[in-house]
Amino acid sequence: MLIRQAGSTVHYPRNHIIFAAGDLADRIFLIESGYVKIYRLSADGRRVTVGSIRSPGELMGLAETLLGTERTCFAGAITDVSLVIVRKNKFEELLAVQPVLGIKVAKLLGARMREAEAIIHEMVCWQAPGRLALMLLKMGERCGRESASGIKIGLQLTHEELANMVGTSRQTVTSLLNTFKQEKSIAYEGREIKILDPDKLAKWIM
């Protein structure tokens, strides 16, 4: 891939902050392995997730880099990650000589805009149980491993992290997860969640 040839590969451990709000947006990132969350800090210091989890094969840091502005969000490694970093000037050179890459970037930014609109809709229209159920189902699709007994989400997320992703309190998430567990929608394997019954979980989305 051209992006890999134009950049350099770096490795970061879980919980490392890859970029922070206020940083100059002078590079883009291609995730080779691992998962990253995009979040902002609320006035009381909570980490509020503002996008879905970024997965292997995805680009991040695009919009602000192309605009040449400061970062408005943080990117934090959920797992150990490997990234290809490409400087802004090098990436713009690629866009100039590779129209197909430009089309892919435009489509990606369009998809991210629709994703942001969907998140706003969910926050306004759905209650916390529906938002948490949908988040678990999305994570199952993006980073789950299927087995005979269910879909294992390969991320060890704390209740606090899940709460930040769905805009509610840690206590509410703990209570809801216990409810999902009691109805056998989910189960725990160590610190990882396994989705046992996606259809039953989907009934909470309303």
Side-chain angles (χ1 to χ4, degrees):
M1 187 188 234
L2 291 170
I3 291 176
R4 292 188 180 93
Q5 295 171 2
S8 55
T9 302
V10 296
H11 308 280
Y12 294 124
R14 169 180 163 84
N15 293 327
H16 182 84
I17 296 176
I18 298 161
F19 59 74
D23 288 352
L24 179 63
D26 60 353
R27 65 198 70 185
I28 62 105
F29 303 83
L30 170 67
I31 303 174
E32 291 275 55
S33 65
Y35 296 89
V36 177
K37 62 183 175 183
I38 308 297
Y39 63 93
R40 294 190 182 191
L41 292 181
S42 65
D44 59 1
R46 289 186 303 113
R47 296 183 176 189
V48 181
T49 304
V50 293
S52 61
I53 293 169
R54 302 289 183 241
S55 307
E58 286 195 72
L59 292 169
M60 65 179 192
L62 273 172
E64 294 162 332
T65 300
L66 292 174
L67 285 171
T69 60
E70 291 183 350
R71 304 282 185 199
T72 58
C73 300
F74 292 78
I78 300 175
T79 63
D80 293 349
V81 295
S82 294
L83 306 167
V84 176
I85 299 178
V86 182
R87 295 282 180 176
K88 179 184 177 181
N89 61 343
K90 195 69 177 178
F91 188 64
E92 289 178 339
E93 288 175 11
L94 286 179
L95 292 176
V97 299
Q98 294 290 334
V100 173
L101 179 60
I103 292 171
K104 287 183 178 179
V105 167
K107 287 182 177 179
L108 175 59
L109 292 175
R112 296 260 170 90
M113 182 182 295
R114 293 190 65 178
E115 180 182 78
E117 291 170 349
I119 290 172
I120 292 170
H121 175 80
E122 292 161 15
M123 289 295 184
V124 171
C125 298
W126 294 354
Q127 299 298 314
R131 299 200 302 271
L132 180 58
L134 180 62
M135 174 63 70
L136 292 175
L137 289 170
K138 283 182 178 178
M139 288 195 296
E141 289 177 4
R142 294 173 70 94
C143 46
R145 301 189 301 275
E146 288 199 40
S147 67
S149 58
I151 303 168
K152 189 173 183 180
I153 298 172
L155 301 176
Q156 296 184 4
L157 296 169
T158 66
H159 291 191
E160 184 73 31
E161 287 174 314
L162 289 171
N164 293 339
M165 289 179 180
V166 296
T168 190
S169 68
R170 181 187 57 77
Q171 293 87 346
T172 298
V173 164
T174 299
S175 175
L176 288 172
L177 289 173
N178 285 334
T179 299
F180 295 164
K181 184 179 176 183
Q182 288 167 8
E183 70 170 18
K184 294 184 168 53
S185 294
I186 68 168
Y188 279 96
E189 287 193 1
R191 290 182 57 194
E192 295 184 353
I193 295 173
K194 176 180 279 189
I195 299 173
L196 302 177
D197 192 332
D199 292 336
K200 189 179 289 186
L201 200 57
K203 290 180 179 178
W204 289 93
I205 303 171
M206 61 181 68

